[in-house]
Amino acid sequence: MGLFKKKPKAEKDRPVPRHIAVIMDGNGRWAKKRGLPRQAGHKVGAETFRTIATYCKDIGVQYFTVYAFSTENWKRPPEEVDALLDLFRKYLKEAAETMFERGVAVRVLGDLSPLPPDILELIRETGEIADTLGPDAATASLCINYGGRDEIKNAVRALAKEVEKGSIRPEDITEGDISRHLYTAHMPDPDLIIRPSGEIRTSNFLLWQSAYAEYYFTPVLWPDFKTADMDEAIDAFNKRNRRFGGV
Ligand code: FPP
């Protein structure tokens, strides 16, 4: 079964958020409950990513973004880090083979500098295919070696360099200039951020971009997360009254 392989289903009669982001949490606990190594939870979690990303595309969500590896995750045992890197290899290869045909742009966001060369090559390849799909294609983004504070720090550094060069004055820097220097410059801010596994915190995910996002927390562990759970999250989102600071 390939990434985005399912036939598009008729869109349900309800609006869907333009951009949904997920903190794919609970893989370790899912594995522990079954007496399995943590890697087993990540493997099923990656399959859940495939199912849910495909579902989001089918129901008309234009951007789907997941937190796959944080800047802090390198501290995990080497066998767990290696297993995650292997999953990125597998899914990026699969994406490179299928995304053109499925019309889904797969992108990787984060500080990619410490990743192994073969993964960097796969990211370059998928990025090239994504570029040919054009700006209207559904987009699935994997955040790898991503940290919200790290991302903002990098944006500040880039703007400081522009100031140094004299191409912008400090007093002219706008919020839009900051957004333009983030990994997500090419996409709208997330409307809905889902965190499974019962944890209620943001964990350094999309700190700048989440300013007006609606959060949805569920006790379901990510490997157990089904399309029905996505439906529930979207229904809850559709009941929220988003005021963006107004009344
Ligand atoms: C957090 O759960 C999850 C991660 C650190 C990794 C998420 C990565 C995947 C699901 C695989 C992604 C691969 C692709 C190709 C999308 P945890 O391990 O901290 O779980 P715990 O809190 O229960 O220990």
Side-chain angles (χ1 to χ4, degrees):
M1 153 156 152
L3 193 54
F4 310 114
K5 199 168 180 180
K6 278 190 209 158
K7 290 233 172 350
K9 282 183 209 142
E11 200 169 312
K12 289 194 178 167
D13 188 20
R14 59 168 179 185
V16 294
R18 182 145 75 122
H19 184 174
I20 298 181
V22 178
I23 301 172
M24 302 187 291
D25 200 7
N27 301 334
R29 277 162 285 167
W30 184 94
K32 194 173 174 203
K33 276 205 314 197
R34 288 161 178 80
L36 296 170
R38 297 176 55 82
Q39 293 86 292
H42 296 316
K43 188 165 176 240
V44 178
E47 283 163 18
T48 303
F49 159 77
R50 180 202 272 137
T51 306
I52 299 297
T54 305
Y55 183 63
C56 282
K57 185 216 168 217
D58 289 350
I59 61 174
V61 174
Q62 199 186 348
Y63 298 92
F64 180 67
T65 303
V66 294
Y67 206 179
F69 195 94
S70 77
T71 43
E72 284 69 44
N73 285 154
W74 298 104
K75 290 184 230 152
R76 295 194 175 201
E79 58 275 18
E80 184 174 347
V81 171
D82 285 347
L84 283 165
L85 294 177
D86 272 345
L87 285 170
F88 301 148
R89 279 188 186 94
K90 174 174 157 46
Y91 281 78
L92 285 168
K93 269 189 205 139
E94 187 179 315
E97 284 158 14
T98 60
M99 61 201 270
F100 194 72
E101 178 194 339
R102 312 282 175 227
V104 176
V106 174
R107 301 213 176 253
V108 178
L109 314 180
D111 171 9
L112 308 181
S113 54
L115 295 175
D118 66 314
I119 297 189
L120 287 177
E121 177 54 25
L122 283 166
I123 293 173
R124 194 195 57 73
E125 234 178 87
T126 47
E128 251 179 29
I129 305 170
D131 289 343
T132 64
L133 289 170
D136 296 332
T139 301
S141 303
L142 300 176
C143 296
I144 298 181
N145 196 32
Y146 174 87
R149 286 187 171 184
D150 187 60
E151 180 184 35
I152 294 168
K153 175 204 73 189
N154 290 338
V156 170
R157 280 189 182 161
L159 281 165
K161 281 194 184 138
E162 288 178 23
V163 169
E164 205 172 43
K165 270 195 320 199
S167 53
I168 193 165
R169 296 186 307 173
E171 58 273 31
D172 291 335
I173 293 174
T174 63
E175 292 185 5
D177 290 319
I178 296 174
S179 296
R180 170 166 76 71
H181 284 87
L182 302 179
Y183 301 123
T184 50
H186 54 287
M187 58 172 88
D189 288 344
D191 302 293
L192 170 62
I193 300 181
I194 299 173
R195 182 161 195 161
S197 91
E199 306 294 349
I200 305 183
R201 55 179 174 269
T202 61
S203 296
N204 207 12
F205 187 46
L206 301 177
L207 290 184
W208 175 271
Q209 300 87 335
S210 61
Y212 288 102
E214 295 291 331
Y215 278 90
Y216 179 83
F217 298 99
T218 169
V220 175
L221 303 175
W222 177 246
D224 288 329
F225 195 93
K226 303 283 185 286
T227 56
D229 297 301
M230 182 52 87
D231 283 339
E232 248 177 61
I234 293 174
D235 289 345
F237 172 84
N238 283 336
K239 287 190 193 121
R240 305 261 178 101
N241 177 12
R242 299 182 83 194
R243 292 193 296 274
F244 299 97
V247 284

